Amino acid sequence: MNITVIGSGYVGLVSGACFAEMGNTVTCVDIDSVKIEKLKQGLIHIFEPGLEQMVLKNVKNKNLLFTTNLGEAISDVEIVFIAVGTPMGDDGSADLQYVLAVAKSIGKSMKKRLIVVDKSTVPIGTADKVKATIQKELDARNSDLQFDVVSNPEFLKEGAAIADFMKPDRVVIGVDSEIAFKKMKQLYSPFFRSHDRFITMDIRSAEMTKYAANAMLATKISFMNEIANICEKVGADANQVRIGIGSDQRIGYNFIYPGAGYGGSCFPKDLKALTKIAKENGYTAQLITAVEEVNDTQKLVIAQKITTHFGEDLTGFTFGIWGLAFKPGTDDMREAPAIYVIKELVSRGAKIKAYDPKAIDEAKQHYLKGVQNITYVDSKYEVLKDSDALVLLTEWKEFRSPDFEEIKIQLKTPIVFDGRNQYIAYDLENKGFEYHRIGK
Ligand SMILES: NC(=O)c1ccc[n+]([C@@H]2O[C@H](COP(=O)([O-])OP(=O)(O)OC[C@H]3O[C@@H](n4cnc5c(N)ncnc54)[C@H](O)[C@@H]3O)[C@@H](O)[C@H]2O)c1
């Protein structure tokens, strides 16, 4: 099938590469000409395990193409995906300007019947807006071209995006046309070998499903962080409690790790957008608001633990940071707890030495740009030299079983503040050479 994916970020590029991998001819479009030029040269601007190889292979096979020219890219395709960003607007709602700009361009330039698929996470009712925007442009052209709008929210996880896309738990298709449903089924069927996992529903329910999924996952995280905070006050071990509750199948082990709070490109903005959607429709989303509040507080818990130990004024202290990305397996730092922790420590006079296997460029160029007193180093052990303590913020595999002897020798105070585990720290002096690690 010939398809086009508009927006070549984490979702668009992964979707485009995976559709191409299944034998489709895919054109990926982006407004950012630098990004597109790099992609044409085989330079991938994001880190996602397995993505580079998949892109290079399909570019070589000539079934994955890149362009900035949306009109040309949709001139001879059956399905066009919208996978542009829907960032948080000033008032907390999802900013639809990019989605609607794309819809407008589609209406201006489409030349044959099209199935337009919203893959971006969008507020309930957006498909109607996309439809109206395209129709307005067609009317202005006096065109009677037909098109369908479908909602196909994306559930991939950064860090495991290729695996998630290639073997999805489910493909949600919100659709009101039989023709569009059949085409979507045809496109996705190769991803299911033994049995399909399509979940078909009306468009608004599909749009809501994505928000509900993210709200549920964020709720589990904030719930467990709250339980961990109470555990600490009453002398209980949150790790043991986690195992105790996770064994109940109704609760399960996933997403109940206490830690430094959730970040990333989705949960913070999607929860804000959902509370806003609720409010606009006359409902106060109390639980989701509380989930956000717990998370906002949680992001600074680790910094509070550091000031409790070293004092409010951190002038003269240096902290080594392991991990900047919002989670392992990605270079994405959007809303990463590391941003909040590092800024808080620096504002109190501390110096920072930071290492992350993939996110250092992101930190330098965007998320910690202009923040003084940060040195970036090339290895996890370089971080330790002259640092007063180590702060573990992203659980990359290479931090799971480090050389504890080295940590003890190099650090001025042999303490690890572990952002994942929520407790103060692992005093290597007293507890021996191991993390008291959750889930291990
Ligand atoms: N990142 C995730 O893990 C994830 C998972 C599921 C869903 N989503 C949702 O998918 C959407 C995209 O997220 P992302 O993380 O891929 O964003 P991203 O910021 O990585 O990529 C968006 C891309 O769209 C491009 N773009 C913007 N306007 C454009 C236009 N008019 N024409 C062509 N390209 C344009 C940008 O240049 C950028 O490359 C969002 O709605 C997000 O909430 C993201």
Side-chain angles (χ1 to χ4, degrees):
M1 210 182 282
N2 280 355
I3 64 171
T4 289
V5 181
I6 303 174
S8 304
Y10 286 89
V11 167
L13 188 58
V14 167
S15 310
C18 292
F19 284 133
E21 182 74 10
M22 288 299 183
N24 301 289
T25 300
V26 184
T27 305
C28 287
V29 180
D30 205 284
I31 203 167
D32 183 337
S33 54
V34 176
K35 222 175 250 184
I36 290 296
E37 273 318 305
K38 282 190 175 165
L39 285 166
K40 281 181 179 171
Q41 293 164 31
L43 301 169
I44 319 295
H45 56 283
I46 51 174
F47 172 73
E48 191 56 50
L51 180 63
E52 188 173 7
Q53 300 89 308
M54 193 180 269
V55 169
L56 293 179
K57 180 182 145 196
N58 287 287
V59 167
K60 198 170 165 216
N61 291 346
K62 298 197 170 26
N63 57 336
L64 184 58
L65 310 159
F66 298 103
T67 181
T68 51
N69 190 329
L70 186 148
E72 257 175 47
I74 66 165
S75 64
D76 193 25
V77 298
E78 292 173 87
I79 304 181
V80 54
F81 283 86
I82 303 177
V84 296
T86 45
M88 198 191 298
D90 292 340
D91 63 353
S93 59
D95 183 349
L96 283 180
Q97 63 167 308
Y98 306 103
V99 170
L100 296 180
V102 170
K104 194 170 175 177
S105 303
I106 292 173
K108 272 187 193 304
S109 50
M110 63 188 275
K111 293 194 173 63
K112 57 185 249 192
R113 187 184 175 116
L114 267 186
I115 296 168
V116 179
V117 186
D118 279 341
K119 193 166 254 320
S120 301
T121 303
V122 289
I124 296 83
T126 299
D128 293 338
K129 290 184 183 166
V130 167
K131 199 176 254 180
T133 306
I134 296 174
Q135 192 59 56
K136 194 173 163 199
E137 293 303 322
L138 288 175
D139 292 346
R141 288 165 53 191
N142 287 324
S143 165
D144 58 0
L145 280 175
Q146 302 284 302
F147 66 97
D148 296 293
V149 177
V150 172
S151 168
N152 170 224
E154 182 49 56
F155 297 97
L156 63 76
K157 302 182 287 296
E158 285 179 26
I162 295 282
D164 286 347
F165 202 96
M166 294 301 281
K167 286 188 181 171
D169 291 337
R170 78 294 209 191
V171 170
V172 170
I173 301 177
V175 70
D176 58 9
S177 128
E178 192 56 30
I179 297 178
F181 175 64
K182 280 191 178 145
K183 273 285 164 209
M184 291 297 286
K185 213 171 164 191
Q186 189 187 337
L187 178 66
Y188 273 108
S189 287
F191 293 89
F192 302 116
R193 291 188 73 187
S194 56
H195 62 282
D196 74 41
R197 293 190 203 91
F198 293 109
I199 302 177
T200 316
M201 56 183 77
D202 66 83
I203 294 173
R204 282 177 176 249
S205 302
E207 290 170 334
M208 184 65 185
T209 297
K210 177 64 191 174
Y211 282 109
N214 279 354
M216 181 70 214
L217 293 170
T219 301
K220 286 186 95 173
I221 294 173
S222 277
F223 170 81
M224 197 59 207
N225 281 332
E226 188 151 278
I227 292 294
N229 291 337
I230 302 170
C231 280
E232 207 172 73
K233 298 271 182 218
V234 299
D237 180 342
N239 183 42
Q240 294 184 41
V241 174
R242 180 188 70 79
I243 294 166
I245 63 171
S247 54
D248 183 331
Q249 283 184 5
R250 293 169 302 174
I251 297 171
Y253 290 108
N254 290 333
F255 266 74
I256 54 166
Y257 291 85
Y262 59 77
S265 61
C266 294
F267 291 179
K269 81 169 172 65
D270 291 348
L271 265 71
K272 273 268 178 306
L274 185 52
T275 49
K276 187 81 182 149
I277 291 164
K279 196 170 172 201
E280 281 166 6
N281 288 278
Y283 182 81
T284 305
Q286 295 177 67
L287 177 61
I288 298 163
T289 305
V291 167
E292 291 182 278
E293 285 169 1
V294 169
N295 194 59
D296 289 345
T297 313
Q298 196 66 23
K299 281 183 175 170
L300 289 176
V301 162
I302 199 110
Q304 282 157 9
K305 289 180 185 304
I306 292 170
T307 52
T308 304
H309 191 88
F310 289 95
E312 298 285 324
D313 182 0
L314 297 175
T315 310
F317 291 107
T318 300
F319 296 98
I321 304 284
W322 278 3
L324 297 165
F326 87 90
K327 66 174 178 178
T330 181
D331 58 351
D332 198 341
M333 271 192 75
R334 288 179 277 191
E335 292 293 323
I339 302 170
Y340 295 85
V341 174
I342 289 173
K343 283 186 176 169
E344 177 68 13
L345 298 179
V346 167
S347 76
R348 291 175 179 276
K351 289 192 172 144
I352 299 294
K353 275 177 102 177
Y355 166 72
D356 186 286
K358 296 289 173 194
I360 287 178
D361 285 346
E362 283 294 296
K364 282 184 187 167
Q365 287 164 24
H366 303 290
Y367 299 96
L368 293 170
K369 190 177 175 184
V371 180
Q372 301 292 307
N373 289 328
I374 308 181
T375 314
Y376 298 96
V377 295
D378 293 333
S379 89
K380 61 176 182 281
Y381 294 118
E382 254 182 272
V383 158
L384 307 172
K385 200 169 176 309
D386 301 324
S387 288
D388 288 276
L390 175 63
V391 187
L392 173 55
L393 290 175
T394 317
E395 204 182 44
W396 285 93
K397 283 199 184 99
E398 67 174 88
F399 303 146
R400 283 194 191 172
S401 189
D403 183 341
F404 289 100
E405 189 79 46
E406 187 73 15
I407 295 176
K408 188 180 177 214
I409 292 166
Q410 295 280 352
L411 286 178
K412 286 189 197 161
T413 330
I415 294 181
V416 182
F417 291 87
D418 185 337
R420 289 291 305 187
N421 279 339
Q422 147 77 21
Y423 310 101
I424 180 160
Y426 298 102
D427 181 339
L428 298 170
E429 203 85 70
N430 298 323
K431 290 214 174 182
F433 295 149
E434 60 172 18
Y435 296 126
H436 177 76
R437 180 157 288 285
I438 281 184
K440 297 285 170 291

